[in-house]
Amino acid sequence: MTHASELPTDFSPRAICETCWRPEVVCYCRFVTKLETKTRVLILQHPREQKVPINTARIAALCLKDSELHVGVHWRDLKALEDPERPAALLYPGPGAIDVEQHPPSGPITLIVVDGTWWQAKKLVRQNPELAALPRYAFRPPSPSDYRIRKEPQDDYVSTIEALVHVLSVLEKDRERFLAMLVPFRAMVDAQLSFVGKNSRPRHVRKNKRGPVDPRSRLPNELTTRAHDIVCVHAEANAWPYNTHQRKENPDELVHWVACRPSTGEVFDEIIKPQTELAPSTTRHTEVDEAAFARGITREEFVAKWQRFSRPDDIFCSWGTYSLTLFVKAGGALPKIRIDLRRSAREFLKAPVGTMSAFRAHFGMEQPESRARARSGRRIAELVAIVNFLATPPPL
């Protein structure tokens, strides 16, 4: 235990904002825009999540006028579940969940959102039969979460506020208006990452007298010593929404594979014909139309073409491992050395990272010119830009 006499003489408690409950130095209230909605939003928060200073449910509650934030474990007397004009539905993936983009409700609803870790959310739904019995809506996020200060269990999981932005945009057919909710969210994330970067040690702990450590020393040696062997790779999938019977019958499959050698600028860009039924959101997500998929090459042709492009000493660089999983399922052979660039970026920052776009923005890197077709072309260009940034020492 620390006694008062042991605290630094200049110690003083941090001033806390009474609205957002964040320290005043990182208060995000000035970024909050109040929004009217036809949808009634009810956020049910696990008690442990309430104590997390960087939770996003409070931001959502501050942004949405017609919303309620309740903290607890048991919800047997929720009057919102009995509103005949706005019937209740649960935003939660699971068996029987309805794709909100493909089959939105015909009128206003009361949207029930469970806030907490995925383990906490599952427990809340399991322990409350009234919630478990509600109609369920789910969606497939258009991009990975930008919640860089907390690690999501999977790439397609997002924070509470990001989920609400996406679903309300669909329900009320006005995406631009609800994007305003992400402004305080991003302000909170940026402020937290900036604070972590400047204060990587606990408060009141004497700083180490050693000189600064070059963050590039924490990166894989191959990024700098074998630049000519680096191959940036990105895959797009034909993927059905989670917890649908189609997904069980048709697992994710590779339909677009793009690779680039930063040292030479060589690009491999092939669309692979889907072997299973095309998911409704695949064309929108990949930005490749059905006709192009129909003209795609077979998996056998893809493997043969890739063998002609690849070299024995190739080193794969990917953002996460999902692309590599799709590549192997399609018959591709992985090289001996693979670099997860997202993990490398996390080591470089010594802080969580989200999307490639967020990492670029953190360092003021502009969006590079696309190097191939569709969404994959932009993604591979970002990968190359980040590889070049991490591998290039700063000028003396």
Side-chain angles (χ1 to χ4, degrees):
M1 179 180 294
T2 301
H3 298 283
S5 61
E6 296 173 343
L7 293 172
T9 55
D10 60 349
F11 172 78
S12 60
R14 292 184 296 179
I16 302 297
C17 173
E18 295 182 358
T19 301
C20 68
W21 299 356
R22 297 288 290 144
E24 288 185 354
V25 293
V26 289
C27 169
Y28 54 74
C29 291
R30 65 186 184 279
F31 299 106
V32 170
T33 301
K34 297 286 187 179
L35 300 173
E36 299 276 0
T37 59
K38 297 177 182 177
T39 307
R40 181 181 182 183
V41 176
L42 187 64
I43 304 172
L44 306 181
Q45 188 177 66
H46 192 280
R48 290 185 180 179
E49 190 67 13
Q50 183 189 28
K51 300 176 183 179
V52 177
I54 54 175
N55 80 77
T56 68
R58 187 157 186 81
I59 303 177
L62 291 173
C63 289
L64 300 172
K65 289 185 178 181
D66 193 16
S67 67
E68 300 174 28
L69 174 60
H70 298 278
V71 180
V73 176
H74 297 290
W75 312 99
R76 294 189 175 88
D77 300 316
L78 285 175
K79 295 182 180 179
L81 302 182
E82 304 172 0
D83 185 349
E85 296 184 359
R86 290 187 287 189
L90 183 66
L91 180 59
Y92 190 80
I98 304 167
D99 188 323
V100 72
E101 294 182 270
Q102 299 298 319
H103 305 286
S106 57
I109 64 171
T110 296
L111 187 66
I112 310 294
V113 182
V114 180
D115 181 66
T117 65
W118 284 99
W119 178 85
Q120 292 165 352
K122 288 179 182 178
K123 187 175 181 179
L124 286 177
V125 174
R126 185 173 63 248
Q127 291 184 346
N128 290 273
E130 294 83 355
L131 296 181
L134 290 174
R136 295 185 181 185
Y137 282 100
F139 67 98
R140 186 183 179 200
S143 60
S145 174
D146 202 20
Y147 202 7
R148 294 165 283 155
I149 48 182
R150 293 181 76 176
K151 171 65 175 173
E152 297 292 354
Q154 293 187 28
D155 285 350
D156 52 0
Y157 286 12
V158 295
S159 66
T160 296
I161 194 166
E162 290 171 301
L164 277 168
V165 168
H166 186 79
V167 174
L168 288 173
S169 298
V170 174
L171 295 179
E172 310 215 358
K173 300 179 177 62
D174 192 350
R175 178 167 176 76
E176 291 302 319
R177 187 161 65 95
F178 289 103
L179 286 177
M181 294 173 63
L182 295 178
V183 177
F185 164 66
R186 288 170 177 156
M188 180 189 72
V189 171
D190 290 343
Q192 187 70 17
L193 287 179
S194 176
F195 181 81
V196 169
K198 295 176 181 177
N199 302 274
S200 58
R201 299 173 182 83
R203 291 192 302 155
H204 316 313
V205 176
R206 186 174 299 173
K207 292 184 178 180
N208 195 316
K209 293 184 179 180
R210 292 182 301 174
V213 176
D214 181 358
R216 287 176 172 79
S217 65
R218 298 190 287 264
L219 299 175
N221 291 331
E222 289 83 2
L223 275 176
T224 54
T225 62
R226 295 182 56 184
H228 58 288
D229 293 325
I230 296 293
V231 179
C232 295
V233 297
H234 175 73
E236 293 287 354
N238 177 30
W240 287 84
Y242 279 95
N243 298 306
T244 60
H245 72 275
Q246 292 97 334
R247 188 180 183 90
K248 295 177 182 179
E249 297 171 0
N250 306 309
D252 295 5
E253 62 174 332
L254 176 67
V255 291
H256 194 186
W257 177 259
V258 175
C260 178
R261 297 184 190 279
S263 61
T264 64
E266 295 172 88
V267 173
F268 182 96
D269 177 6
E270 289 294 342
I271 293 174
I272 300 94
K273 187 175 183 179
Q275 294 188 330
T276 61
E277 182 182 358
L278 201 62
S281 61
T282 296
T283 54
R284 173 181 56 80
H285 182 73
T286 61
E287 300 175 9
V288 177
D289 59 35
E290 291 189 29
F293 281 130
R295 296 192 301 268
I297 62 177
T298 65
R299 286 189 177 183
E300 292 75 15
E301 291 171 328
F302 163 68
V303 171
K305 285 191 172 185
W306 178 254
Q307 287 176 343
R308 292 193 291 272
F309 179 87
S310 62
R311 300 172 185 171
D313 295 328
D314 281 346
I315 299 172
F316 275 9
C317 275
S318 61
W319 193 260
T321 60
Y322 181 61
S323 291
L324 305 187
T325 300
L326 293 172
F327 176 71
V328 171
K329 285 183 179 179
L334 293 175
K336 292 181 180 179
I337 302 176
R338 284 95 63 185
I339 298 175
D340 181 345
L341 209 59
R342 182 170 59 188
R343 176 177 293 182
S344 297
R346 187 164 59 240
E347 286 298 312
F348 183 83
L349 274 177
K350 277 300 177 184
V353 294
T355 63
M356 287 191 285
S357 298
F359 184 79
R360 285 192 301 98
H362 183 81
F363 291 99
M365 302 163 60
E366 296 183 356
Q367 170 69 47
E369 185 178 349
S370 180
R371 289 177 175 257
R373 287 174 288 182
R375 178 175 181 267
S376 289
R378 297 193 303 275
R379 298 282 286 177
I380 205 69
E382 287 188 303
L383 268 173
V384 171
I386 293 172
V387 164
N388 290 336
F389 170 78
L390 292 177
T392 305
L396 297 176

